[in-house]
Amino acid sequence: MPIKAGFPPISRDNTALAIIDMQKDFLDEGGACFVPGGRSVVPATRQLLDAFRAADLPVIHVMVRWQKDGTDMSRFTTNPMLMERGLREGDPGAEPVDDLTPLDNEYVIHKKRYSAFFGTSLETLLRSLGTVHLVVAGVCTNFCVRSTVHDAAFRDFLPVVARDCATSYTPEEHEQTLKDIAKGYGWVKTNSEIVQLLGIKKPVPVVS
């Protein structure tokens, strides 16, 4: 039997949210891999998170965690500061920013490489949840977000990047990546468009 083309419509029954690398080492000044402007997408990401929580949809927090001595970091990690510190087990900078702290009923995936799928249980978790559409937010658009989107598409999930809930080191990198994704790997939507597609009318208000 030939493989069926396309995907079923997005709905609350087949959608999950993955928040990628929204950690203090990425978003706080002085962090080992600080992304200028990274904090600017936290409010929109929190709105999206609150909407998923209000609708009781699956939320997955994906974060980098390396051994304290860095032996399991990628050979492509050449940032001198990261070679010495950052994103290590037990480090405060490896924790999520306060506004995006996981709840007890939400999932946490620790990764070692750009993609949230590589060497993790993410695919198994998504299959178990019945996920078809994977909404993705986080940093950086052209590295960890993009790698996760590619791997999701290769596994026949449909990625949906929340464009106002992601950012990179430059606007050009962010925008070009979104264009590439929209052409061949998934959808690119705003936070509000995603919430509307899912028919979530009354998200829980942000409580700090």
Side-chain angles (χ1 to χ4, degrees), residues 101-123:
T101 300
L103 299 180
D104 289 342
N105 65 337
E106 294 171 349
Y107 304 98
V108 176
I109 295 284
H110 291 153
K111 66 185 177 74
K112 309 291 185 181
R113 298 294 185 268
Y114 293 150
S115 172
F117 286 91
F118 183 81
T120 76
S121 60
L122 180 58
E123 181 175 4

Side-chain angles (χ1 to χ4, degrees), residues 16-145:
L17 170 65
I19 299 176
I20 311 291
D21 294 352
M22 296 295 269
Q23 297 162 263
K24 293 174 182 177
D25 270 333
F26 286 104
L27 301 187
D28 287 349
E29 279 199 64
C33 41
F34 177 59
V35 180
R39 278 275 173 182
S40 68
V41 301
V42 171
T45 306
R46 179 58 189 265
Q47 289 174 358
L48 187 60
L49 174 59
D50 282 341
F52 270 70
R53 287 172 172 172
D56 197 26
L57 298 181
V59 175
I60 304 156
H61 300 261
V62 180
M63 291 173 275
V64 181
R65 283 283 195 285
W66 290 322
Q67 297 291 327
K68 281 194 171 292
D69 61 4
T71 51
D72 52 353
M73 71 166 50
S74 168
R75 293 188 180 188
F76 288 94
T77 302
T78 56
N79 179 328
M81 194 177 297
L82 267 183
M83 301 294 285
E84 299 296 328
R85 67 176 181 86
L87 302 174
R88 298 326 199 253
E89 290 282 357
D91 285 0
E95 295 302 315
V97 294
D98 294 342
D99 286 346
L100 303 175
T101 300
L103 299 180
D104 289 342
N105 65 337
E106 294 171 349
Y107 304 98
V108 176
I109 295 284
H110 291 153
K111 66 185 177 74
K112 309 291 185 181
R113 298 294 185 268
Y114 293 150
S115 172
F117 286 91
F118 183 81
T120 76
S121 60
L122 180 58
E123 181 175 4
T124 300
L125 173 60
L126 294 176
R127 302 283 183 210
S128 299
L129 293 169
T131 303
V132 175
H133 300 265
L134 181 64
V135 177
V136 182
V139 294
C140 288
T141 319
N142 56 325
F143 287 108
C144 296
V145 170

Side-chain angles (χ1 to χ4, degrees), residues 150-168:
H150 284 187
D151 276 356
F154 299 155
R155 288 163 172 76
D156 292 331
F157 298 104
L158 195 154
V160 186
V161 178
R163 66 174 306 126
D164 51 343
C165 301
T167 191
S168 193

Side-chain angles (χ1 to χ4, degrees), residues 2-15:
I3 294 174
K4 218 179 215 182
F7 295 87
I10 190 170
S11 75
R12 298 189 203 184
D13 294 328
N14 64 13
T15 304

